[in-house]
Amino acid sequence: MDIRLENLTKTFSNKDRQVETIAVNNFSFTIPSGHLAGLLGPSGCGKSTTLFLLAGLLEPTSGKIFFGDEDVTALPPEKRGIGLVFQNYALYPHMSVYDNIAFPLRNSKSFREQHKDARERKSEIDRIVQETAKIVAIEELLDRKPAQLSGGQQQRVAIARAIAKKPKVLLLDEPLSNLDARLRIQTREEIRRIQQATGITTVFVTHDQEEAMSITDEIIIMKDGIIQQIAQPQETYIHPANVFVAQFLGNPPINLIDVNICDGWIILNDRKAVKTKLQDGNYKMGIRPESFAIGTQDSEEAVAATVVYKATIGRDFQVRFNINGRLCEALIESDSRIETGDNVFFTMKRSGVHLFSTDGEREEIW
């Protein structure tokens, strides 16, 4: 089932209603049926507010929310057909894993009406719990209490409980933030596997770009309640819509340099370094650290710079140098012969070079 937002806005006011904060600002987008979409952005950008609007936990100031063709804007959470997984899992500590998964079914009025015979209802609940536990790979944990589980296992129980009632939409609010680094990687891969196995349209809220890039079908990047870009993960990285997106994605972060275009050339360290179709003027240039390579004086579109720092980080050298007065960082293959103090000509992969206008919007260089 697809999710569609039409001009969705949510504002909050202080007690005196004199100061108004726009948490979600005129959102319009569609998440196709069966996709896993990531709401990505820094703290306070409005991503959790958007999720709570989808869940029905908050009422929009204006705009509409559709699940498929159904307008659910005014529906309470229990009538939207959602599964919601919170950051803290919210498992019942006194219940077994089995009972945690079964709880929403036992308390569902529609489920009880559908299965009026108590014996039949119990049998159906058992079937669903066993089936769901198998999907999330916790069949052997059904008799345990939450305190006996690891963080990753608790997370899978929370997801199992959310999908046991076969929701139309699955909503995940920072589901991995309480896990250590290694477990985060394992669990996010599990979330992707579970989502693909069930085919449930899923919205995943995170501030971690690596999480969003690794498991989503598309990313909705947000800042101050405004959508900055909606695209497939690799598209947002290769073709960032503006300076904010370019800076937010990437580790190490993109290098941003003030540049001037003169006679169709981008000038870097007083050298005509990059040919462009853009008009002469002042711009901001972004270069991904992994997009630098070692060239020669005769290399096409190269910039001359002096290495001021070098460190070995596994398979790459991390080097720093100045371009147009800005300290830049590059990741260079470790088989390159380069030392601190060397004067080097750096070439740049076109896919990692971006140019932005003075208002921060992306420009087409070539």
Side-chain angles (χ1 to χ4, degrees), residues 10 39 49 52 85 108 134 160 166 191 208 250 265 269 293 307 310 314 335 344 348 352:
K10 179 62 180 177
L39 293 176
T49 301
F52 294 157
V85 179
S108 169
K134 186 176 182 180
K166 293 182 169 45
I191 288 174
D208 188 313
W265 284 91
N269 287 356
V307 177
K310 172 199 166 187
D335 58 358
V344 178
M348 296 161 285

Side-chain angles (χ1 to χ4, degrees), residues 40 79 135 137 143 152 166 168 202 204 209 299-300 335:
L40 175 66
K79 293 187 177 181
I135 291 173
D143 293 330
K166 293 182 169 45
K168 301 172 184 175
T202 301
F204 179 98
Q209 55 165 303
S299 297
E300 185 179 356
D335 58 358

Side-chain angles (χ1 to χ4, degrees), residues 53-100:
L53 290 168
L54 289 170
L57 300 177
L58 289 175
E59 183 179 341
T61 305
S62 62
K64 292 185 178 297
I65 302 170
F66 292 87
F67 289 174
D69 294 328
E70 183 182 10
D71 184 349
V72 301
T73 312
L75 290 182
E78 62 272 17
K79 293 187 177 181
R80 294 193 180 197
I82 62 164
L84 183 58
V85 179
F86 291 103
Q87 178 179 334
N88 62 359
Y89 316 145
L91 300 178
Y92 299 108
H94 63 288
M95 292 184 183
S96 67
V97 168
Y98 184 103
D99 289 332
N100 265 281

Side-chain angles (χ1 to χ4, degrees), residues 3-298:
I3 299 172
R4 189 169 84 255
L5 305 187
E6 292 184 357
N7 307 116
L8 193 69
T9 297
K10 179 62 180 177
T11 61
F12 295 97
S13 302
N14 66 357
K15 292 181 180 179
D16 300 326
R17 296 186 176 276
Q18 294 179 352
V19 179
E20 192 175 74
T21 300
I22 304 176
V24 174
N25 194 343
N26 198 35
F27 276 18
S28 293
F29 61 79
T30 298
I31 299 171
S33 179
H35 278 218
L36 193 163
L39 293 176
L40 175 66
S43 297
C45 72
K47 53 188 185 292
S48 287
T49 301
T50 304
L51 192 84
F52 294 157
L53 290 168
L54 289 170
L57 300 177
L58 289 175
E59 183 179 341
T61 305
S62 62
K64 292 185 178 297
I65 302 170
F66 292 87
F67 289 174
D69 294 328
E70 183 182 10
D71 184 349
V72 301
T73 312
L75 290 182
E78 62 272 17
K79 293 187 177 181
R80 294 193 180 197
I82 62 164
L84 183 58
V85 179
F86 291 103
Q87 178 179 334
N88 62 359
Y89 316 145
L91 300 178
Y92 299 108
H94 63 288
M95 292 184 183
S96 67
V97 168
Y98 184 103
D99 289 332
N100 265 281
I101 299 172
F103 184 82
L105 296 173
R106 289 170 178 161
N107 287 270
S108 169
K109 182 179 178 180
S110 62
F111 187 83
R112 291 197 304 270
E113 290 176 349
Q114 188 178 357
H115 304 280
K116 293 183 179 180
D117 180 79
R119 189 173 297 178
E120 179 201 344
R121 186 163 61 246
K122 182 179 179 181
S123 175
E124 182 64 9
I125 288 174
D126 184 69
R127 185 191 68 78
I128 293 172
V129 170
Q130 298 291 344
E131 179 185 87
T132 306
K134 186 176 182 180
I135 291 173
V136 301
I138 55 169
E139 308 103 296
E140 74 284 1
L141 306 176
L142 291 175
D143 293 330
R144 297 189 190 181
K145 298 287 180 64
Q148 299 173 292
L149 306 178
S150 69
Q153 290 169 336
Q154 290 185 44
Q155 183 59 273
R156 278 185 277 167
V157 174
I159 294 172
R161 185 178 59 187
I163 65 176
K165 55 185 179 179
K166 293 182 169 45
K168 301 172 184 175
V169 172
L170 181 62
L171 306 174
L172 307 174
D173 186 27
E174 299 272 8
L176 307 179
S177 59
N178 292 334
L179 305 179
D180 61 50
R182 184 180 295 274
L183 198 53
R184 286 172 76 110
I185 295 173
Q186 294 174 354
T187 308
R188 78 186 185 209
E189 291 172 354
E190 277 296 292
I191 288 174
R192 182 53 166 167
R193 180 189 65 79
I194 293 165
Q195 189 273 329
Q196 289 180 326
T198 59
I200 300 173
T201 307
T202 301
V203 180
F204 179 98
V205 165
T206 181
H207 64 274
D208 188 313
Q209 55 165 303
E210 187 176 331
E211 285 178 7
M213 294 286 286
S214 63
I215 67 170
T216 60
D217 294 303
E218 53 262 318
I219 299 179
I220 301 159
I221 302 175
M222 303 168 57
K223 177 191 176 188
D224 298 332
I226 298 172
I227 296 173
Q228 303 296 308
Q229 187 171 3
I230 302 174
Q232 294 179 350
Q234 196 65 10
E235 178 69 14
T236 60
Y237 189 80
I238 296 175
H239 298 111
N242 53 41
V243 168
F244 172 79
V245 175
Q247 286 183 299
F248 194 76
L249 299 178
N251 187 27
I254 196 169
N255 300 290
L256 284 176
I257 309 159
D258 293 321
V259 299
N260 179 260
I261 294 178
C262 183
D263 296 329
W265 284 91
I266 300 174
I267 308 301
L268 300 176
N269 287 356
D270 300 321
R271 175 186 171 96
K272 291 182 177 180
V274 180
K275 185 73 173 176
T276 178
K277 66 179 183 180
L278 290 173
Q279 295 181 348
D280 291 1
N282 297 318
Y283 297 84
K284 196 170 286 289
M285 186 174 188
I287 309 173
R288 297 285 182 196
E290 68 274 16
S291 294
F292 285 103
I294 303 299
T296 66
Q297 185 172 0
D298 297 327

